[in-house]
């Protein structure tokens, strides 16, 4: 167990280091002089010289890299070329929106996916299963940004049920916040719900035909009790696994969803930065995404070994 | 269709019967047949679209903007610039499929050899695993953002970003199938016979891994279609005025209240394509499953 966790921690740290190198070199791969790119409007020789000095561009690459890591570790991601605001304070306002949106989407997707998956497994071969399977396939195939467009068109604009765009901070107005964010969260959660449903269904089917469930049934345990016990335990593992595996998709999805619903989160910040060629922001966004992915997946692995004791023995996620 | 020509060497002399069995299972599954027909039709339309599209996709007509579907001469109506929606959908579907194929080809060209190496050579496994971890840390949209920042947004960069993001999935399935095959007797026999590693991989492991690669590809294509739509919608993929289902939705968003059909139709096509691939992929996986009719 300890050995497994140590190995995982070492791998995560290594991946983190490598991705930092990639992001660092990415900025050096920009066409032309990085100082020019970082300078934005003010391109006087003095400004360029100051930037070269501030970012250590006049130093050898390894030293530049060490300086970069040092700055990032202190939360210094540079200053946005377009707004002049430190990237770190942009992140402080944008990140909570995205985190809230993603967590709500995961919650909704887990509830819907686990429910439909258990239902499909228990009602095998009946209309309920076909319906759940069909919906899952559609959920996998539908471009969710398009669903978002339709939802705005028909639920927000035509029916007036939800605000079409905009955002109210959670602490300022919790009800208004929920009203703004619930539709985007549903849209973001559709694909995830479909994947969770399919996995839950096959995990349940496997569990239902396994020896210990047969034993439990033979002991005279009521089928409902068997299903609930196994459904809960298995679905927890399924949800944790899928969230770990699909985190990349979730982050990508959040970017698009925020763009459509005009939520002032991480995703909107990213897309705006690309079109404004705001390199310090792009660099911070890419690095933070990679870091979040690596850290969350490490936590998922930790959680695994808590939920599923088999992993502690074999050292490999099931 | 490539399914027909996949060598199934694993079954040895009985290989033909396995292929026949898989095909028979597919033919008996109505969902597989329907999705295959849809995909074949889409492929024909996509291939021929430059010649069979009723109008020039770039031809604007400011006297007839926002014509609703059913307008004579414009079966699916016109957009904000009076361009024919049907023609743009046909060419857009062609672009979607092209990006999807490019992306999946990229992921297979890089992922298959790495997966084989990771499964076959113990010493390579750790290095390739770290490489996989590294790729996974950059979601496709973030990868596309980075590529667009460095090289500008284009169809090729969209395909590359999606393809790179799909490499880990390919490595994972090919690696685990290689591990499975390596433990089988006929591979051991070839090794004992003095065959080189490269020969064993090319002649014994790879041909037998084709079915998992095929299934992986049918799952990856619809994901790539959705990915292209997202990137083009955001302006990180195919650049206007070139037709793309994603960019059509992006411009339709601005006029959605006036011309809702323009926001509906391209999405339906994207969903239809992805759904057909997903349904066919499911059917193919079931048909290839040696446990057969249990599911």
């Amino acid at each position: 167990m300890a050995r497994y966790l140590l190995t995982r921690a070492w791998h995560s740290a290594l991946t983190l280091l490598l991705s930092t190198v990639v992001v660092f070199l990415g900025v050096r791969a920009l066409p032309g002089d990085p100082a020019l790119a970082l300078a934005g409007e003010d391109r006087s020789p003095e400004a360029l010289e100051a930037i070269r000095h501030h970012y250590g561009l006049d130093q050898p690459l390894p030293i530049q890299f060490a300086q970069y890591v040092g700055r990032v570790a202190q939360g210094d991601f540079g200053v946005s070329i377009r707004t002049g605001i430190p990237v770190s304070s942009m992140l402080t306002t944008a990140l909570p929106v995205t985190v809230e949106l993603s967590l709500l989407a995961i919650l909704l997707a887990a509830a819907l996916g686990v429910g439909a998956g258990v239902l499909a497994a228990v009602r095998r071969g009946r209309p309920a299963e076909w319906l759940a399977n069909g919906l899952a396939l559609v959920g996998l195939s539908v471009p969710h940004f398009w669903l978002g467009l339709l939802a705005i068109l028909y639920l927000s604009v035509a029916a007036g049920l939800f605000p079409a765009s905009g955002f109210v901070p959670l602490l300022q107005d919790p009800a208004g916040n929920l009203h703004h964010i619930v539709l985007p969260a549903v849209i973001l959660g559709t694909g995830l719900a479909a994947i969770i449903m399919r996995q839950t269904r096959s995990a349940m089917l496997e569990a239902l035909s396994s020896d210990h469930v047969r034993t439990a049934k033979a002991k005279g345990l009521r089928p409902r009790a068997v299903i609930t016990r196994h459904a809960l335990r298995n679905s927890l593992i399924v949800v944790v696994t899928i969230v770990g595996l699909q985190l990349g998709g979730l982050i990508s999805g959040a970017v698009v969803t925020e763009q459509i619903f005009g939520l002032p989160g991480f995703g909107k910040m990213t897309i705006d930065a690309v079109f404004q060629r705001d390199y310090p922001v792009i660099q911070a966004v890419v690095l933070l995404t990679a870091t979040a992915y690596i850290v969350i997946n490490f936590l998922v692995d930790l959680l695994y070994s808590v939920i599923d004791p088999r992993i502690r023995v074999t050292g490999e996620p099931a | 269709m490539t399914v027909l020509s996949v060598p199934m060497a694993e079954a040895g002399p009985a290989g033909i019967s396995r292929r026949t069995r898989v095909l028979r299972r597919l033919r008996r599954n109505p969902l597989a047949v329907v999705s295959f027909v849809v995909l074949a039709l889409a492929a024909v339309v996509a291939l021929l679209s430059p010649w069979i599209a009723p109008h020039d996709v770039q031809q604007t007509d400011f006297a007839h903007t926002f014509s609703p579907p059913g307008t004579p001469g414009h079966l699916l109506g016109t957009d904000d610039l009076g361009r024919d929606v049907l023609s743009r959908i046909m060419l857009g579907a062609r672009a979607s499929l092209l990006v999807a194929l490019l992306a999946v080809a990229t992921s297979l060209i890089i992922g298959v050899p790495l997966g084989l190496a990771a499964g076959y050579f113990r010493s390579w496994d750790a290095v390739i695993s770290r490489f996989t971890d590294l790729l996974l840390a950059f979601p496709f949209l973030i990868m596309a953002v980075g590529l667009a920042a460095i090289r500008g947004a284009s169809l090729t960069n969209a395909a590359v970003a999606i393809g790179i993001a799909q490499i880990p999935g390919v490595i994972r399935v090919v690696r685990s199938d290689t591990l499975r095959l390596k433990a089988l007797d006929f591979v051991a026999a070839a090794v004992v016979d003095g065959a080189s590693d490269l020969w064993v991989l090319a002649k014994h492991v790879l041909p037998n891994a084709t079915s998992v690669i095929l299934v992986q590809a049918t799952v990856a294509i619809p994901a790539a279609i959705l990915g292209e739509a997202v990137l083009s919608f955001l302006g990180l993929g195919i650049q206007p005025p070139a037709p793309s289902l994603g960019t059509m939705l992006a411009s339709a968003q601005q006029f959605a209240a006036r011309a809702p059909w323009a926001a509906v139709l391209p999405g339906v096509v994207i969903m239809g394509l992805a759904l057909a691939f997903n349904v066919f992929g499911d059917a193919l996986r079931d048909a290839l499953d040696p446990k057969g009719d249990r599911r």
Side-chain angles (χ1 to χ4, degrees):
Chain A
M1 171 74 172
R3 194 189 151 86
Y4 166 67
L5 289 182
L6 271 179
T7 317
R8 284 293 295 124
W10 153 241
H11 286 167
S12 301
L14 189 63
T15 313
L16 193 57
L17 177 71
L18 288 176
S19 47
T20 314
V21 172
V22 168
V23 174
F24 170 77
L25 291 179
V27 171
R28 269 76 199 161
L30 288 174
D33 185 350
L36 265 179
L38 291 168
E41 301 300 321
D42 182 9
R43 296 185 165 185
S44 62
E46 299 80 45
L48 290 182
E49 199 44 54
I51 285 171
R52 277 198 197 98
H53 187 70
H54 177 76
Y55 288 97
L57 294 173
D58 41 8
Q59 308 275 339
L61 266 188
I63 293 178
Q64 285 187 41
F65 180 68
Q67 288 175 340
Y68 172 64
V69 172
R71 279 197 307 274
V72 166
Q74 292 165 22
D76 175 8
F77 293 99
V79 172
S80 161
I81 294 171
R82 297 294 149 168
T83 58
I85 302 171
V87 179
S88 53
S89 54
M90 290 170 76
L91 288 168
T92 326
T93 45
L95 271 180
V97 182
T98 308
V99 170
E100 189 195 345
L101 173 69
S102 310
L103 285 180
L104 196 59
I106 292 173
L107 271 179
L108 289 169
L112 195 68
V114 168
V118 170
L119 190 75
V122 175
R123 297 251 180 274
R124 193 149 185 230
R126 300 207 221 150
E129 190 201 4
W130 302 333
L131 185 69
N133 282 345
L135 279 179
L137 267 174
V138 172
L140 278 186
S141 311
V142 68
H144 60 245
F145 71 93
W146 176 63
L147 265 192
L149 285 184
L150 296 185
I152 292 176
L153 197 57
Y154 293 107
L155 298 181
S156 302
V157 177
L161 292 176
F162 298 97
S165 75
F167 183 72
V168 192
L170 180 63
L171 296 176
Q172 199 179 314
D173 173 9
N177 169 276
L178 204 63
H179 196 207
H180 273 92
I181 212 160
V182 75
L183 191 57
V186 169
I187 299 294
L188 179 57
T190 43
L192 199 62
I195 298 170
I196 291 178
M197 180 267 157
R198 283 161 69 104
Q199 290 293 328
T200 303
R201 173 180 165 271
S202 60
M204 267 309 276
L205 283 178
E206 203 164 302
L208 287 178
S209 63
S210 68
D211 288 342
H212 58 277
V213 170
R214 262 214 311 269
T215 313
K217 277 187 192 158
K219 275 196 315 195
L221 219 59
R222 291 210 327 279
R224 182 176 294 271
V226 176
I227 290 164
T228 322
R229 289 275 307 272
H230 287 278
L232 285 181
R233 183 134 207 154
N234 273 322
S235 56
L236 203 58
I237 297 174
V238 166
V239 170
V240 169
T241 313
I242 301 286
V243 168
L245 285 174
Q246 296 297 321
L247 193 64
L250 195 70
I251 294 172
S252 297
V255 172
V256 191
T257 311
E258 285 174 11
Q259 187 73 6
I260 294 168
F261 286 92
L263 295 176
F266 184 73
K268 191 154 180 352
M269 182 179 138
T270 306
I271 299 300
D272 290 349
V274 175
F275 290 112
Q276 296 167 344
R277 306 212 158 272
D278 200 340
Y279 294 114
V281 177
I282 297 174
Q283 193 181 15
V285 158
V286 177
L287 183 65
L288 267 185
T289 314
T291 309
Y293 185 92
I294 294 163
V295 170
I296 293 176
N297 268 288
F298 178 63
L299 294 178
V300 163
D301 274 1
L302 283 188
L303 209 58
Y304 253 146
S305 48
V306 176
I307 307 172
D308 191 345
R310 278 172 302 180
I311 292 155
R312 278 175 238 158
V313 185
T314 59
E316 281 265 339
Chain B
M1 185 65 202
T2 43
V3 186
L4 303 173
S5 58
V6 173
M8 296 292 177
E10 188 178 346
I16 295 159
S17 77
R18 182 179 179 211
R19 194 190 307 169
T20 325
R21 198 169 63 235
V22 168
L23 282 177
R24 193 190 303 140
R25 279 193 198 144
L26 280 178
R27 268 204 309 272
R28 282 186 184 161
N29 181 346
L31 283 175
V33 174
V34 171
S35 56
F36 182 78
V37 170
V38 170
L39 291 178
L41 273 176
V44 170
V45 170
L47 271 176
L48 301 180
S49 57
W51 298 280
I52 61 173
H55 293 269
D56 180 353
V57 286
Q58 317 266 8
Q59 182 65 53
T60 54
D61 177 1
F62 293 103
H64 299 98
T65 57
F66 297 122
S67 307
T71 307
H74 298 288
L75 192 59
L76 297 182
T78 57
D79 66 3
D80 53 314
L81 301 176
R83 297 173 299 191
D84 183 51
V85 170
L86 176 62
S87 306
R88 292 186 69 77
I89 284 184
M90 289 166 86
L91 269 295
R94 175 189 168 93
S96 290
L97 289 172
L98 182 68
V99 170
L101 290 180
L102 268 177
V104 173
T106 305
S107 70
L108 291 182
I109 288 170
I110 301 175
V112 169
L114 287 177
L116 287 173
Y120 195 81
F121 304 109
R122 268 196 88 85
S123 51
W124 292 41
D125 197 14
V127 177
I128 294 174
S129 295
R130 296 294 76 73
F131 175 66
T132 315
D133 285 350
L134 181 63
L135 286 186
L136 280 171
F138 299 99
F140 89 92
L141 211 145
I142 298 299
M143 191 102 67
V145 162
L147 271 181
I150 296 172
R151 302 179 22 171
S154 69
L155 181 149
T156 323
N157 285 346
V160 168
I162 299 168
I164 292 178
Q166 289 184 336
I167 292 174
V170 177
I171 293 183
R172 190 167 44 83
V173 298
V174 175
R175 175 184 173 273
S176 69
D177 212 44
T178 306
L179 281 172
R180 177 184 72 86
L181 291 163
K182 202 179 143 189
L184 296 183
D185 288 344
F186 73 98
V187 173
V191 174
V192 170
D193 235 20
S196 73
D197 290 332
L198 217 56
W199 177 266
V200 172
L201 280 174
K203 286 287 166 184
H204 296 290
V205 178
L206 184 58
N208 288 305
T210 30
S211 52
V212 295
I213 296 173
L214 207 62
V215 169
Q216 176 68 20
T218 48
V219 182
I221 289 177
I225 290 176
L226 295 183
E228 184 277 325
V230 166
L231 293 182
S232 295
F233 177 78
L234 292 174
L236 297 173
I238 297 170
Q239 296 299 302
S244 139
L245 299 172
T247 47
M248 287 176 80
L249 285 175
S251 62
Q253 184 186 17
Q254 300 161 33
F255 309 105
R258 238 189 115 181
W261 61 87
V264 173
L265 293 169
V268 170
V269 175
I270 299 171
M271 187 173 83
L273 284 175
L275 191 60
F277 271 109
N278 275 326
V279 168
F280 188 75
D282 273 7
L284 185 65
R285 187 171 37 208
D286 288 350
L288 284 168
D289 187 351
K291 282 174 245 159
D293 303 311
R294 272 198 355 188
R295 279 162 203 265

